[in-house]
Amino acid sequence: MKKMMLLAVLCMLCLSTLTVNAAESKIEEPINWEISMMPKPSAEELEAARWSIVLENNMGVYAYDMDSLHFGDVKNGIVNKDLVNVVVKTVFTDKEMLKKMNKTYAEKLAKKEKTQYCEMLMQFNVADKTYAVKALDVYGSKGTKLESRQSDAQLVPVPEKTFAEAMLEICVQAVNNTSGIENK
């Protein structure tokens, strides 16, 4: 019995010295053990995944940033859940409109660059079915910001069968499912 007790104490002493020794040794950089069958997405793929397409028509492709949905107004610590802000993007496809925009921004466009898309911060009042564009940024095909505008536009009724109506429906669904919307 004494031998077993002595053996157990001896084992515990050996193990304690190993843990102390391991704690003293410092590893400069840990080994990256990440294993994946899929290659990591590129910056362009990550940017494309950020947007959800809402509507396509002859003017362009309309999408919204799924992570940008948030309640728009907080007063005295109370969130107005009727006002919803969202960032939307329009990629222009209409050739005539692109020609006009390229002429408008000709001085700001780099060589072989063309006007490509705009991003807007839109605010929707889901109770009144109204909206306003609060900010607008226009970009070229090489990522050049061609124009940036802020607006104090008043809310106006959402026209039927438009991109704004489709976005209003998305905002209403987000408000009804408040887990899909944040306070920012």
Side-chain angles (χ1 to χ4, degrees), residues 91-123:
V91 179
F92 304 112
T93 57
D94 183 281
K95 294 183 192 274
E96 290 302 314
M97 186 177 73
L98 282 169
K99 283 181 185 177
K100 289 177 186 177
M101 292 179 82
N102 287 333
K103 285 181 184 176
T104 302
Y105 299 115
E107 293 178 8
K108 296 180 181 179
L109 290 166
K111 281 189 176 184
K112 297 186 179 183
E113 184 177 28
K114 296 180 179 183
T115 306
Q116 186 172 29
Y117 68 94
C118 75
E119 288 184 16
M120 297 177 282
L121 172 62
M122 296 179 79
Q123 185 174 66

Side-chain angles (χ1 to χ4, degrees), residues 10-138:
L10 185 60
C11 285
M12 297 213 6
L13 284 174
C14 287
L15 288 175
S16 67
T17 58
L18 288 175
T19 57
V20 169
N21 196 12
E24 289 176 0
S25 66
K26 293 183 179 178
I27 299 174
E28 293 298 318
E29 286 194 29
I31 298 172
N32 183 1
W33 288 98
E34 184 178 328
I35 299 174
S36 176
M37 295 297 289
M38 301 293 290
K40 287 191 174 190
S42 67
E44 292 84 16
E45 292 169 330
L46 289 172
E47 176 66 14
R50 177 179 151 204
W51 300 97
S52 178
I53 295 176
V54 177
L55 182 76
E56 292 183 47
N57 62 20
N58 59 347
M59 192 136 131
V61 178
Y62 300 87
Y64 77 102
D65 180 351
M66 297 172 283
D67 295 331
S68 72
L69 279 168
H70 65 279
F71 292 118
D73 204 11
V74 179
K75 289 185 181 174
N76 302 325
I78 299 172
V79 176
N80 182 350
K81 293 190 177 185
D82 287 336
L83 290 179
V84 178
N85 288 343
V86 62
V87 175
V88 299
K89 181 178 188 176
T90 304
V91 179
F92 304 112
T93 57
D94 183 281
K95 294 183 192 274
E96 290 302 314
M97 186 177 73
L98 282 169
K99 283 181 185 177
K100 289 177 186 177
M101 292 179 82
N102 287 333
K103 285 181 184 176
T104 302
Y105 299 115
E107 293 178 8
K108 296 180 181 179
L109 290 166
K111 281 189 176 184
K112 297 186 179 183
E113 184 177 28
K114 296 180 179 183
T115 306
Q116 186 172 29
Y117 68 94
C118 75
E119 288 184 16
M120 297 177 282
L121 172 62
M122 296 179 79
Q123 185 174 66
F124 290 87
N125 185 321
V126 295
D128 296 342
K129 296 185 178 183
T130 57
Y131 82 107
V133 176
K134 296 293 183 178
L136 175 114
D137 294 328
V138 179

